Each structure stands twice: as C-alpha cells, then as structure tokens.
Amino acid sequence: MQTSSQLDALRARIHELKDLGGIIGLLNWDQETYLPDKAGPARAAQLSTLQGLYHQRLVAPEVGEWLELAEREAAAADDRSMLRVFRHERDRAVKVPERLVRALAEAQSDGLAGWREARAARRFAPFQPALERLLALRREQADAIGHGGERYDALLDHYEPGMTTARLLPVLERLRASLVPLVERLDGTLDGADPFAGQTFDPEVQWRFTVELLGLLGFDLQAGRQDRSIHPFTGGTHPTDVRLTTRIDAANPCPALFGTLHECGHGLYEQGFLPEHHRTPLAAAPSMGLHESQSRLWENLIGRSLPFWRFLYPRLQAAFPAALGRVPLESFHRAINRVRRSPIRVEADEVTYNLHIVLRTTLELRLLRGDLAVADLPEAWNAAMVATLGIRPRDDVEGVLQDIHWAWGELGYFPTYSLGNLYAASLLHAAERALPALWSDVERGQLGTLREWLRREVHQQGFRTSAEDRVRTITGQGLTDADFLEYLRAKYRALTGRVLTTSS
Ligand code: ZN
C-alpha cells in the first residue's frame, strides 16, 4: 500500500473516532441536562457500549500499522502534529484493557448517581461505595498506563500532557504560600453593604441577560447553545455544536453571570478551532489547563474588571432596576471582587480560589497513594478547609460533595484550574502588550479585539504544540505565577488602596 493511502486510512479512522467522541459528548451533555431520572441505568449502559466501541476502534491492530507507516512518511507539519497527538492517545489506550474501559464507564455513571443521591441526603455516605470503586479502577488504569512510581502522573497526563506531580506540587505550594497571607490582608477589606442581599433577580430576565452576554463575547449561537444544569459545564459534539450550561439563582445574579462568562470562554475556544482541524485530534486544546485559561480569562480578568462593567453595568441595571437601580457601579464592582473565606469553590473569589484547588489536589493525591481512606475523606476535607481557609463546611454538600469531578472519577483534573489561572494572567499580560487599545475597547464593549487575538494565538493553534510551548511562544516564558500574583496585587491595590507586597 502507498503511504498516502495509509495516511488516508488512518485519517478515516481518526474522523470516525472523533464522530464517536462527539456522540459520547452528546449523551454526556444530555445526562447532565434533560435525561429523565429513570433513564440513568440505561444511559450508563449506552455510554459503556459506546466507550467500549471507541476503545476497540482506537486500539485495533491495523491502526497501529497505519500509524507507523504514516509517521515515517508524513511531511506536512499539521499531519505530523496530528500523528503525534493521536499516537499519544493510542499508546495510552492500548495499555488499558477494554474490560477496564467498560468498567470505568459504568462506575462513572454509578458514581454520578451515588453523588446525586448523597447530595440529596446532604451526607457523603451514599456516595462512598461508588467512589471506592472508581478509585480502585483509576489505580488499576494508572498502573496499566505505567508511571515511575507515582500513579497520579499517569492520570494527570490525561488532562495536562507533560505535567508531573513532582513539577506540579512545588507550583501549588508556592501559590499557597503567597495566597494565604494575601487572603489574610484582604479578608474583610471590601466588606460593606451586600448589594444583592434581600433582592430578587427574575430568573427569566437573568436567562435573557446571559444569552445577550454570549452574543457580546462573540459566542456563535448558530454553532452552539446554552441550557441549564446544576453544575455548569461545556460539552458538545463538534466545534459547530458547542453546548454550554449555566445555573440561575433567583437571589443572586452572580452564578449566572460569571458561570456564563466562564463557560463562554471554553465555548469560544471550541468554536475557534480551524475548520481544517475539525474531526481530527488537532481540533482540541493541548491541555485542560490551557482550556481553563480561556474560561478564567473571560470570567475574571475581563469579567470582573472595572472597564468591562463600565460598559455592561448600565445594561444590568436596566435589566434589574428595582434591585440595582440605586447601586453605584463602584459598589457593584467591589461586591463582585470581595475576598472572602467561603466554602464553595465555584463561588470563590480570585484570591482564595487556588487554595480550594490546593486542598483538592492534596486530598486526591492522598486517596490515590492510599494515604487516605475514602471513608475518612469528608473529615479530611473539613479539617483541610479549617487549616487552609479557617472555615468549616456546614455539611457534606457544602464540603466534599460540592464538585462533580470525583463523581465522574476525574482524578488529576483539579490542578488544571490553577494552571489555567496562571496561564490566563500571563496571556492577558501578553495581550496588553500586543493590543494597546485592549482596555479602551473592553470599555466600549468591543470584546472582539481580545477574542480575535486569542483566536489567532491560542484557539486556531489547536493541539499543534503542548500548552506550555504555546504559552511560551506567546508570552516569552513558560508556566509562571509571577503574572498572576502581580495581577492580583495590582487589582487589589486599586480596590483597597493598600500596597500588597507579600513575597512570591
Ligand atoms: Zn472551566
């Protein structure tokens, strides 16, 4: 066979796998949004079957042969990148037996059901057996993939290719050491009347506002949609079918506003892949950390900035005249940037947020290493919250049950949020240098300036290189906390009038 036909055969299989992945994505999205309660077990079986099929079609021996021949002959840079990414995924998959893939898929669905039941009961116990099963399977998976003695590395690599526990832990420890004193200095400094207290924000008006927000940021609603879910996320089947969800709280507009901004950041990334990369592994972020950099950038660095709200706040006031009509912009801006020790990660401010991540990463690492029993997890969580943030959750819903990740058996995902925060600050810093009009454009609601820059520099690059290499190309340096800490200090210096010079 000619090499070109090997590459063609491989490309056809790659397209097929992407299609299967899209269908799995649709079923997952549906499970989180509209699936009737009684259909849970049936959906678990459907997902397990599809994931098994995906696995078979990926690891099939002929694919290995096509891949080897294609690697020898592929000349175009994008083809070589595509083969490298595909090789990485396939090599990992080949090592994992199909039995384990199916068992994991079933355990994930059971985990989700157990987590839901536990949340309804407001205690951890109903979730414990499912999490124990997931943990056992993840250990088995990590051993099958292989690692140098740290199982967490094998799992981390799935979300953040190239990252290791040994490299990650010092980054998180430095962040913790810088942030704890900063929280100490800032906690309470922005307190004042809560502009949202005692107010009602019509859910339908909130919904319409979030849809307008999507339009303002440039999310293409002809190539995606937004729905509601308990735990907002971004999913979908293809860059032309990107599905966001948001959560609406009638007592407070922030979950919907910042949830939508966050997921929209993910959605813009997905919609921004080059059409020629569609249905290939290049139409993907090179890491979840880089994906998170896009969501956090829009949610926080832009979405909680004063210029952004100089433009948008009159519109928000017009949407909620009774609640916000007499609240000045400055009060609103302070309220959405208040630093507070709070139990819920997704509602945490930018200063305390990474402390929530350090806590989760430490706990899941201990679980995986066997240093912590699942039965002891809720108390370990509460003790860590007291030690890190000085607060104790009222119950397990406010504590260990708040995130969906462990219900899906996602171990190694959490640290990507912190990496995303660090990358976001470095990318914004580079954008400010490249785009002198950035902030004056934001203030006029012209968000396309930044979006198109991100599109060129990040989205359209897809998975051509690693996340850190892409960031290094754009910013001149790899992973660093310097830009993030400087961003926080400058922001809170302006908000509080205090000079914040904790060592970094
Ligand atoms: Zn996110």
Side-chain angles (χ1 to χ4, degrees), residues 150 152 165 169 360-369:
E150 182 73 81
Y152 199 63
T165 313
L169 291 182
R360 286 156 176 74
T361 304
T362 311
L363 289 177
E364 64 182 18
L365 188 59
R366 287 176 61 203
L367 283 174
L368 200 67
R369 284 174 172 173

Side-chain angles (χ1 to χ4, degrees), residues 232-234 262-263 265-266 288 291-296 299 345 353 405 413 416-417:
F233 68 97
T234 297
H262 181 100
E263 301 309 332
H266 285 305
M288 286 317 297
H291 224 309
E292 276 310 311
S293 78
Q294 300 304 289
S295 54
R296 300 291 285 174
E299 175 193 1
R345 172 185 64 91
Y353 187 93
H405 306 62
Y413 191 104
T416 68
Y417 291 117

Side-chain angles (χ1 to χ4, degrees), residues 156 179 231:
L156 197 54
L179 293 175
H231 193 102

Side-chain angles (χ1 to χ4, degrees), residues 298-362:
W298 288 108
E299 175 193 1
N300 291 330
L301 285 71
I302 300 301
R304 291 181 204 270
S305 72
L306 195 52
F308 181 71
W309 286 104
R310 278 202 193 106
F311 173 76
L312 201 61
Y313 190 59
R315 288 165 173 75
L316 190 69
Q317 284 181 305
F320 303 103
L324 297 176
R326 278 196 288 273
V327 177
L329 170 64
E330 289 68 26
S331 307
F332 173 81
H333 183 239
R334 285 166 71 87
I336 61 172
N337 285 292
R338 187 170 293 168
V339 177
R340 225 180 341 201
R341 298 174 163 100
S342 68
I344 305 291
R345 172 185 64 91
V346 294
E347 288 162 16
D349 57 81
E350 292 173 85
V351 185
T352 55
Y353 187 93
N354 291 294
L355 297 174
H356 290 268
I357 299 305
V358 173
L359 177 151
R360 286 156 176 74
T361 304
T362 311

Side-chain angles (χ1 to χ4, degrees), residues 34 40 103 107 121 123 153-154 167 171 287-288 291 364 374 403 444:
Y34 297 113
R123 55 192 189 91
D153 285 348
R167 173 121 194 270
V171 171
S287 83
M288 286 317 297
H291 224 309
E364 64 182 18
V374 172
D403 294 308
R444 291 186 297 120

Side-chain angles (χ1 to χ4, degrees), residues 88 92 153-154 156-168 286-287 419 423 463 466-468:
H88 184 76
R92 280 176 63 94
D153 285 348
L156 197 54
D157 186 69
H158 179 60
Y159 308 107
E160 200 65 27
M163 183 52 70
T164 62
T165 313
R167 173 121 194 270
L168 175 70
S287 83
L419 299 176
Y423 283 147
F463 205 152
S466 77
E468 189 165 12

